[in-house]
Amino acid sequence: MNKIAEFFQLSSLGTDIRKESIAGLTTFLAMAYITVVNPAILSDAGMDFGAVFVATCLAAAFGSLAMGLLGNLPVALAPGMGQNAFFTYGVVLGMGHSWQVALGAVFLSGILFIILSVLPIREWLINAIPRSLKLGISAGIGLFLGIIALSNAKVVVDSPATLVTLGDLASFGPFMCLLGFALIAGLSQMRVTGAVIIGMLLVTLVGWLVGAAEFKGVVDLPPSMAPVFVQLDVMGALEVGLVTVIITLLIVDVFDTAGTLVAVCNRAGLMQPDGSLPRMGKALLADSGATAFGALMGTSSTTSYIESGAGVAAGGRTGLTAVVCGLLFLGCLFFAPLAQSIPSYATASALLFVACLMARSLADLDWDDYTESAPAVIAAIAMPLGYSIADGIGLGFISYAVIKAVSGRFREIPPVVYVIGAIFVVKFVFL
């Protein structure tokens, strides 16, 4: 015990093993929904649910353990919401690529992220992307998740006259989705730990009782990983048409990770006096390594989770919190039957709540500066309406450069905006 306390510097940070363990459990409960939601989303791409469930647990365990042991930060990782939607509905179903090629793109983005993590330009890249675009992209991913959730639960359906319209809200699936969403939002407002997973399980239980969902058990040996394990197609991902896909995955992963690390560490009181993040390089290396590892296992990009803030609120201050959470994800491997028993309307309710959390970033925009707010809004609304995270990001970068230029504010356009904007112009015009 003394060696554990010494390794994680518990005493100097005013914590102990008991506090860190409770914090790790709290973080796990706050993000355990991903073990169900991620396989559900990736299965729409044609991937085996059980195999992806195992890959999700392993990627989350690896990432959380790496963050705890390398970065000594109370930040847990798992396959990211938004990245998994882009993987399935953008790359596979939208662009027509195989999920094996999509996994190859995830792996390559992880390798690029690893390279950036060990180079001194990492802080420059993170700071170079305008804050307004970061906020717009985050909100846009949330809106994209929202329309996916509503569509999967048949709350909204396609319409030849208006593109989309309300479905039959009195039918069981849509009603239970909205009920589950209300339960999750209400429990979250009451600061109930594990509100998302509790809401999902409650509406799932109703489905079991009325025969609208099949109960397949609780505990069993983990399913086989063979259908997705090391099935990535790296060579296929090197096609010219996938350059923007890899760049999109990289951009989202980099600033999503950076934003989460800053937010969680600031809440934990771990930021340096100059505002810098402690052990930034090691933290980014853990995150990027988890993405590459997750692709090999068979899942979309792995990233730091903002739900780690729940563990910090419970007293977590060190990497031991992340280690405990990672070990709990390993234990989750034996609950595959329970995960497979949760119906789509229940996972949709969780998706819809996550969408609301992400969409609130629009509130932080400078609405009086149209050169900042307009490109962010364009990026945000283009994602769900164009059904593409990549295209939304592209339109956001292009409009940012053009609007700034029209306003005569050329000097405010970072070079990275020109580069990424030009790449997307080529994609829209020629690819």
Side-chain angles (χ1 to χ4, degrees), residues 130-218:
R131 178 174 179 270
S132 59
L133 285 181
K134 295 176 184 177
L135 295 172
I137 292 169
S138 178
I141 292 173
L143 296 175
F144 187 61
L145 289 175
I147 196 169
I148 290 171
L150 294 173
S151 176
N152 286 350
K154 306 300 182 185
V155 175
V156 298
V157 295
D158 63 318
S159 165
T162 60
L163 297 183
V164 292
T165 189
L166 280 179
D168 181 7
L169 301 186
S171 60
F172 188 81
F175 177 79
M176 294 307 294
C177 168
L178 296 176
L179 176 61
F181 168 73
L183 287 171
I184 292 170
L187 292 173
S188 297
Q189 181 62 35
M190 295 167 62
R191 302 293 188 270
V192 174
T193 300
V196 176
I197 198 71
I198 291 172
M200 288 174 62
L201 289 175
L202 285 176
V203 294
T204 296
L205 179 60
V206 174
W208 293 341
L209 292 175
V210 301
E214 180 184 358
F215 176 67
K216 300 179 181 180
V218 178

Side-chain angles (χ1 to χ4, degrees), residues 365-370 373:
L365 287 173
D366 181 359
W367 291 99
D368 293 325
D369 186 347
Y370 299 126
S373 60

